[in-house]
Amino acid sequence: MPDTPPAPVIRGDEPGSFPHSVLAERHPAIIRQVRDAFPYGPGQHRALDELLASCTEGTIGSLPADAPDRDRWLAWGLADHTGRSWYDVPWLWSESYFYRRLLEAVGYFGPGAWQGIDPFRPFKRAELDAAQTDGELAALDGLEDLTEQERARALLHGSLWGNRADLGFRLSAEGTGTREPVPALVADDTETLWSLLPPDGRGTLVLVADNAGRELVPDLLLIAHLLAGARAARAVLHVKPYPYYVSDATTADVVEALRRLCAAGGAAAAHGRVLWSAMADGRLAVRAHPFSCAPLPYERMPGDLRAEFAAATVTVVKGDLNYRRLVGDRWWPPTTPFQEVTGYFPGPVAALRTLKSDVITGLSAPDEAALEASGDRRWRTSGTHALVQVRAAG
C-alpha cells in the first residue's frame, strides 16, 4: 500500500472534463460506428438504441440473469452501481462496463449467430492492413546495422509510442519527439528496465498488452528481440479474454499480427518466425485472464494473477488503460512517487505509456511546473507525451 493517502477517484461528472467527454461523446459515437460496421438485425439494433439511451439519458442497468459472467460483475461492484448515473461512479468502472454492455447488445456472448463475433474487428483490421504498416515493417530492415543497444532502444520506443511512432524508430531525442520546454518523454527509467533484463539473462518477461493492430506489432517485435537476444528465456503476453475498449488486443489479434509479420518479408518476417516458433515450443505463452477486463485497479488482482506477476523477472504494463489500473485511476498529485503507488505490486514492474488520460504520477516538480506553464492544457490527454517508469524492487 502507498504511504501517500489515496487521492480522489476520477469520475466523469464534471462537464468539460476529459472523462465527461468520453462518456457523453465518445461512447455514443462508438455505438453508432459499431451499428454501421455490421449488418446486425432488428434485435441488435434495438439493444444498441437502448444502450445509447442509457448512456446519454439514463442510468446503469444490470446484466441478464443468464449472463455467463454476471456473478463476476456482481463481485466487481455491479449491484452497488445499478440505477446510478454513468457519470457518478468511478470513470474506470463506467468505461469498462460500457464495453461489456456493448458486447451484450450485439450478441457477442450468445447464444446465436453473432456469438463470438468481435464488433471492433473491422477497425482493427483496417489499421493492421493500412499501407503505412507496410512501410513501418519495411523500415525494420534498417535496424540491422545498429548496435544491439541502439536496436533495443529503438524497439522499446516503438512499443512505447505505439501507432504514434513509425517503425523506423528514430532514436533518442528524435525518436521521442522532444520539444521545449519539457521533453515528450516526461519520465525515463529505461536503464533500470534493461538492468532487470541483462544480456544472457534467463528470466521471464511478462508483458501486459494494450491495443491490437499497429500497436501490438511493435510489442511483439520487442518480445522477439528480447527472446532472440537472450535477455529473456521466456515471455508471457497477457491480452483481453474478449473485445474491450475498441482496440484492445485479444488472442485472435495476436494471431493476425503474427500472420501480418510473417507475410511482410525481410526482417519483419524473421521476427514473425521467431515468435511463431517461440509460441510452438512454449517460450512465448499467451494469457487471457478474466481480471484483464475488470473495472478495477490491479491492487485488487486475484491470487493466481498475483502469483504469476510475482514469479516474473519483470512485468511490463503497456498503455494508458493499464497505467490507470496500475497506479489507481485517481487525481494523484503529479509528483506522487510511482514507487509508492505501485508498492502493492508483487514483483518488479515497468510502465510504458503514452499519456491519454488525466492520471499521472512520478513527475519531477520542475517538469510538472513546465508542463502546466506550457500553455497546452491537454498535455495529460493528447498523446504528445509518454513515460517509461520502473519499480525494480519486488
Side-chain angles (χ1 to χ4, degrees), residues 204-222:
T204 296
L205 166 74
V206 172
L207 192 149
V208 182
D210 187 30
N211 292 331
R214 290 172 62 204
E215 184 169 337
L216 181 60
V217 166
D219 292 345
L220 292 172
L221 293 171
L222 177 62

Side-chain angles (χ1 to χ4, degrees), residues 31-56:
I31 291 173
R32 290 189 286 268
Q33 290 166 357
V34 166
R35 180 188 177 110
D36 293 341
F38 284 93
Y40 290 125
Q44 282 98 345
H45 287 167
R46 283 193 298 271
L48 288 169
D49 290 343
E50 290 170 1
L51 178 59
L52 179 60
S54 169
C55 291
T56 56

Side-chain angles (χ1 to χ4, degrees), residues 156-211:
L156 179 71
H157 278 266
S159 178
L160 170 65
W161 287 99
N163 59 20
R164 286 198 65 253
D166 64 42
L167 295 186
F169 301 122
R170 288 168 293 173
L171 301 177
S172 64
E174 293 179 10
T176 58
T178 301
R179 51 176 61 83
E180 297 296 341
V182 181
L185 197 58
V186 297
D188 188 3
D189 295 337
T190 299
E191 294 309 313
T192 304
L193 175 57
W194 292 142
S195 73
L196 297 171
L197 293 166
D200 302 321
R202 307 307 301 167
T204 296
L205 166 74
V206 172
L207 192 149
V208 182
D210 187 30
N211 292 331

